[in-house]
Amino acid sequence: MDALPTPSDFALLHGAEVEAFILASPDPVTEAQVAARIQEGSSAAALLRELAERTKDRAVRLVRDADGWRYAVDPAFLPEALKAPARKARELSEAALATLAFVALYEPVTLAEIERGRGVKVSRALLDKLMEAGMIRPGIRRTGTGRAATYSTTDAFLAHFRLDALSDMPTPEELLSRDLPVDTPE
């Protein structure tokens, strides 16, 4: 294992306090919350990036998700019994997984866009099942005729598939370059 980089003076001054604050917080912590705890004029974003870099190869890592920064256990260090969320993915049908992937790649997306992009009829019951599972949520309504509802993924989706952010997902172009099947919108 490579030696850890020497922490900056700034991280030495504020790192432990910020780490304790994040660990003690029941919810992910925002950069604004961190900025309120460090000296004025200092960069909370830079400190959080440095702390994340220092923990990237550890069993417990500082990660950023849609709601902010939190500590998470690297899945490689979890006992099999605690990896249960991965088993839930198998409970989703192939149609549900394909629909979920489409929503994640193109969100916010309407039911009609999902059907056009996948080339199949998608039942509202399937979308209801994905909402009950906490994987998707209703989004904003489109403007214009019909004001169609949109759907987006949730933080539970990210956690379930062990993603820090949607940007960690491969793009449709990357999937195509790997000769993997991909649904594309028209």
Side-chain angles (χ1 to χ4, degrees):
M1 179 184 274
D2 296 336
L4 288 175
T6 305
S8 67
D9 291 340
F10 182 60
L12 285 173
L13 181 64
H14 296 289
E17 177 187 345
V18 169
E19 285 180 313
F21 176 62
I22 295 170
L23 280 168
S25 177
D27 300 311
V29 173
T30 65
E31 286 181 16
Q33 290 171 308
V34 171
R37 302 186 88 64
I38 60 177
Q39 65 190 11
E40 197 170 321
S42 299
S43 173
L47 175 61
L48 289 164
R49 281 193 306 272
E50 183 174 344
L51 292 174
E53 179 65 25
R54 292 183 56 73
T55 62
K56 73 178 182 180
D57 295 321
R58 294 184 185 170
V60 177
R61 303 175 294 154
L62 180 62
V63 297
R64 180 176 56 188
D65 60 25
D67 293 327
W69 292 85
R70 62 182 174 81
Y71 279 96
V73 176
D74 184 327
F77 291 93
L78 288 174
E80 260 331 287
L82 295 178
K83 293 182 182 179
R87 288 191 208 117
K88 284 186 181 177
R90 285 186 216 112
E91 294 173 12
L92 295 174
S93 67
E94 187 175 315
L97 286 171
T99 300
L100 185 57
F102 193 89
V103 171
L105 287 170
Y106 301 106
E107 70 179 67
V109 63
T110 66
L111 175 59
E113 291 167 340
I114 296 169
E115 290 177 337
R116 254 194 325 272
R118 291 201 51 229
V120 297
K121 180 97 171 112
V122 176
S123 72
R124 291 198 186 272
L126 177 64
L127 293 176
D128 289 342
K129 181 178 179 176
L130 290 172
M131 283 192 282
E132 286 173 19
M135 297 294 169
I136 65 171
R137 62 179 170 74
I140 59 171
R141 290 196 169 269
R142 293 279 164 89
T143 57
T145 307
R147 295 188 31 88
T150 62
Y151 299 92
S152 299
T153 57
T154 64
D155 290 340
F157 164 82
L158 295 174
H160 182 85
F161 290 101
R162 298 185 178 100
L163 299 168
D164 293 329
L166 282 176
S167 60
D168 293 339
M169 290 184 51
T171 64
E173 293 77 21
E174 289 170 332
L175 292 174
L176 288 170
S177 72
R178 295 179 193 166
D179 294 325
L180 297 172
V182 62
D183 296 325
T184 53
E186 295 179 22

